[in-house]
Amino acid sequence: MARRINRVLITGAGGRIGGMLRTQLRGRYERLILSDIIPLKDIQPGEDVVTVDLKDGEAVRRACRDVDAIIHCGGNPRESPWPEILEPNIIGSINVWEAARHEGVDRVVYASSNHAIAFTRRSEMLDHRSAHRPDCRYGLSKAFMEDLAFLYAYKYGVRGFGMRIGSFTPRPVDARALSTWISPRDMVQLVSVGLTADYIHEIVFGISRNKRAWWDNSNAYRLGYDPQDEAETYADEVGHIVGDDPIAEEFQGSRFVSMEFTADPNDVP
């Protein structure tokens, strides 16, 4: 049985998703411990702040002391050269799960990405059991994170809740987002499911209840996720906004696929 969650660490608390979760989860838990590589300001009651570089394993472990759950949003959120992916996304994730293991943290609710599986044509439907198909170095780091979480869940008992986040914006911005969008309030609800549900390790998709979704999110619904928003509401506004790059428009990962693409797209299985 899952234990009660009182103290929650948010890594990447200065980022877009982490910062939004900081404000929306404030007051729901005994303490929010906010971590980022840059100093955070405007500290509110119930918040503690620690400045941590995720590549520093000892600093990460100190931040995890007396923590019940981690919301792991830290790391490099964009496609970058290998050195800029390796330390924050791979070494940093290893440090987070190692700290969780040694400090007795119950669970890690973590920001994976659709880019872990998005080297897939838009005509295909995927679910939580679909194999990794990373479309870039960033996506590969997220695929690694999912496997890392699986290992620590089943070998060390650190629960893992991986959210393959689609397009996190206040509202959809183009035709692709009609399939991939997640609203801020649905993001909060999905994280809350990760903090309260009873599981060992699960993969879910971070999307709202989108009619055009490429991803079957029944595993999230099974765990209690009930998204309130629907991208189709904005179809008349953004449905005509498409790119002119045929590779980006063929695959679910869009421009993350087409960046540096030099192979034959017909060879992609």
Side-chain angles (χ1 to χ4, degrees):
M1 179 177 292
R3 81 185 192 210
R4 181 177 175 82
I5 304 300
N6 294 311
R7 296 172 59 84
V8 178
L9 168 67
I10 303 177
T11 71
R16 283 193 312 125
I17 296 178
M20 183 275 296
L21 292 172
R22 169 190 180 181
T23 62
Q24 295 301 311
L25 297 179
R26 186 182 295 142
R28 297 193 190 185
Y29 299 93
E30 180 182 300
R31 302 297 295 179
L32 289 182
I33 298 90
L34 309 173
S35 161
D36 208 299
I37 195 171
I38 58 173
L40 299 174
K41 301 177 181 178
D42 190 28
I43 311 308
Q44 299 296 313
E47 295 180 339
D48 296 321
V49 171
V50 289
T51 302
V52 174
D53 187 332
L54 293 177
K55 70 183 180 185
D56 183 343
E58 286 302 314
V60 174
R61 184 163 177 179
R62 286 193 299 271
C64 290
R65 286 190 185 136
D66 300 319
V67 162
D68 300 307
I70 301 169
I71 303 172
H72 180 41
C73 298
N76 185 345
R78 59 189 61 86
E79 175 64 340
S80 302
W82 270 122
E84 297 171 29
I85 293 289
L86 179 63
E87 288 189 342
N89 291 24
I90 295 180
I91 301 300
S93 292
I94 291 170
N95 288 339
V96 167
W97 267 271
E98 271 290 276
R101 168 195 173 194
H102 288 294
E103 295 300 325
V105 176
D106 180 74
R107 64 186 65 198
V108 182
V109 177
Y110 61 98
S112 183
S113 170
N114 72 95
H115 295 290
I117 43 85
F119 206 165
T120 304
R121 288 180 170 80
R122 297 185 180 187
S123 58
E124 298 184 44
M125 176 67 73
L126 303 178
D127 66 15
H128 62 287
R129 297 162 296 192
S130 298
H132 291 148
R133 295 185 63 139
D135 57 13
C136 55
R137 291 177 289 271
Y138 166 75
L140 185 59
S141 76
K142 295 299 187 175
F144 171 82
M145 184 185 293
E146 291 184 5
D147 287 342
L148 182 73
F150 179 95
L151 173 68
Y152 276 72
Y154 289 102
K155 192 176 182 74
Y156 303 117
V158 179
R159 300 173 194 267
F161 188 80
M163 304 173 293
R164 289 176 176 166
I165 298 171
S167 303
F168 174 77
T169 52
R171 53 202 293 147
V173 298
D174 56 19
R176 176 179 180 268
L178 296 177
S179 300
T180 63
W181 180 61
I182 183 167
S183 69
R185 70 171 173 175
D186 284 342
M187 187 77 240
V188 173
Q189 190 203 146
L190 187 60
V191 168
S192 297
V193 170
L195 290 171
T196 58
D198 192 4
Y199 54 81
I200 299 176
H201 179 258
E202 298 289 351
I203 295 294
V204 299
F205 287 93
I207 53 174
S208 290
R209 198 180 294 276
N210 302 333
K211 178 181 178 181
R212 307 189 195 193
W214 299 319
W215 312 314
D216 174 354
N217 212 13
S218 56
N219 196 43
Y221 300 157
R222 177 185 68 83
L223 292 165
Y225 180 49
D226 183 20
Q228 302 300 297
D229 293 309
E230 158 65 82
E232 201 66 21
T233 304
Y234 303 93
D236 290 344
E237 297 177 31
V238 303
H240 65 285
I241 304 175
V242 296
D244 57 4
D245 182 332
I247 300 298
E249 293 301 310
E250 172 72 13
F251 294 95
Q252 295 180 8
S254 190
R255 63 183 181 84
F256 280 70
V257 177
S258 61
M259 284 189 297
E260 304 179 9
F261 193 97
T262 58
D264 185 339
N266 294 317
D267 290 339
V268 180

